Amino acid sequence: MKNFKQHKILGSNGPVILLVLFFLIQILETQAQQISNNGTYISITTGTFIGMDSITNYNSATLVNNGTLTINKFNNSAAVENNETLATTTINNSGTFENTKTITATDIENTLNFDNTGTLTASNTVTNSGTFTNDGSFTAVDLENKETSTFDNTGTLTATNTVTNSGTFTNKTAGTLTATNTVTNSGTFTNETAGTLTATNTVTNYETFTNDGSFTAADLENKETSTFDNTGTLTA
């Protein structure tokens, strides 16, 4: 009798290879997807890596990130809590956005509430038309605080180019603000006691500017009909 042997195409590692292929397909599909979260609670667990085109979070939805999330565009009009790593090109926030760990973005636009207690880095522009609070480390090229908006800094804020304020901007006690280029104020700008403000170029005031802390600038210009009060340390 002939001894016939059964041959397996993938050998003993067949199930493992198929499982790996399955997950590779899933990863490729995930990277091409867009997530629209309408009113539900989504939690990304620790150790999870997700890459995709965009996320839209709206209608009383909550998204909590405890993993690593890489996307092109993040649109939020509900609630977001980032507790680990978020890398994105743009963030458009018209809801509540909280960062407790690490965010890297190109542009950020906030029209409601944004709170940073972690590390936030924007390689281009941050525009605030709502309420923005920085209690952590915040770096941007350009920072603009619009009319009727509020920006409070109690952490470390670095603008590698310009800071422009036409709303209410407060560098609070223990806050450190550094502008590599210029600071322009056409609203209400306050540097509180124990606050540190450093501008390596020109500070121009068109409205109300109050310094109760430490203020250093290369040049200072206070325009007509504007108000500049200094009870701290001013070096220009």
Side-chain angles (χ1 to χ4, degrees), residues 154 171-176 191-197 211-214 232:
T154 57
N171 189 43
K172 291 183 172 289
T173 299
T176 300
N191 184 42
E192 291 187 347
T193 303
T196 303
L197 171 59
N211 176 53
D212 296 320
S214 176

Side-chain angles (χ1 to χ4, degrees), residues 192-205:
E192 291 187 347
T193 303
T196 303
L197 171 59
T198 304
T200 57
N201 201 338
T202 302
V203 174
T204 305
N205 178 46

Side-chain angles (χ1 to χ4, degrees), residues 3-229:
N3 186 15
F4 293 97
K5 294 183 179 179
Q6 184 177 5
H7 295 280
K8 297 180 180 179
I9 297 174
L10 298 177
S12 60
N13 293 325
V16 176
I17 295 174
L18 290 174
L19 187 62
V20 171
L21 289 173
F22 172 78
F23 280 112
L24 285 174
I25 291 170
Q26 294 301 308
I27 290 171
L28 290 174
E29 288 179 349
T30 301
Q31 288 178 335
Q33 286 178 350
Q34 299 177 354
I35 288 183
S36 181
N37 183 25
N38 180 7
T40 61
Y41 181 94
I42 294 178
S43 178
I44 301 172
T45 58
T46 303
T48 303
F49 295 80
I50 297 178
M52 63 186 63
D53 289 335
S54 66
I55 291 179
T56 300
N57 195 55
Y58 66 106
N59 193 20
S60 300
T62 299
L63 191 149
V64 179
N65 178 41
N66 295 309
T68 299
L69 181 58
T70 303
I71 55 179
N72 289 325
K73 181 180 287 188
F74 203 129
N75 299 313
N76 175 57
S77 58
V80 173
E81 183 180 323
N82 179 60
N83 299 318
E84 195 52 50
T85 303
L86 170 61
T88 180
T89 303
T90 59
I91 295 176
N92 295 310
N93 178 55
S94 57
T96 299
F97 209 114
E98 297 180 51
N99 176 48
T100 65
K101 195 62 179 290
T102 304
I103 292 179
T104 303
T106 302
D107 295 294
I108 299 174
E109 183 170 0
N110 175 57
T111 59
L112 196 58
N113 295 309
F114 202 113
D115 184 27
N116 176 53
T117 57
T119 301
L120 174 60
T121 304
S123 60
N124 195 22
T125 302
V126 174
T127 304
N128 178 47
S129 302
T131 300
F132 204 116
T133 303
N134 176 53
D135 297 314
S137 176
F138 179 16
T139 303
V141 176
D142 294 300
L143 171 60
E144 183 176 7
N145 192 46
K146 297 279 194 177
E147 293 180 4
T148 72
S149 59
T150 301
F151 196 108
D152 289 334
N153 177 53
T154 57
T156 301
L157 172 58
T158 302
T160 59
N161 192 25
T162 62
V163 174
T164 305
N165 175 56
S166 54
T168 301
F169 196 112
T170 306
N171 189 43
K172 291 183 172 289
T173 299
T176 300
L177 171 59
T178 303
T180 304
N181 198 355
T182 61
V183 175
T184 303
N185 176 55
S186 57
T188 301
F189 199 113
T190 304
N191 184 42
E192 291 187 347
T193 303
T196 303
L197 171 59
T198 304
T200 57
N201 201 338
T202 302
V203 174
T204 305
N205 178 46
Y206 292 91
E207 197 61 42
T208 302
F209 201 113
T210 302
N211 176 53
D212 296 320
S214 176
F215 179 17
T216 303
D219 295 295
L220 174 61
E221 184 178 5
N222 193 47
K223 296 288 189 178
E224 294 179 3
T225 72
S226 59
T227 302
F228 193 106
D229 290 328

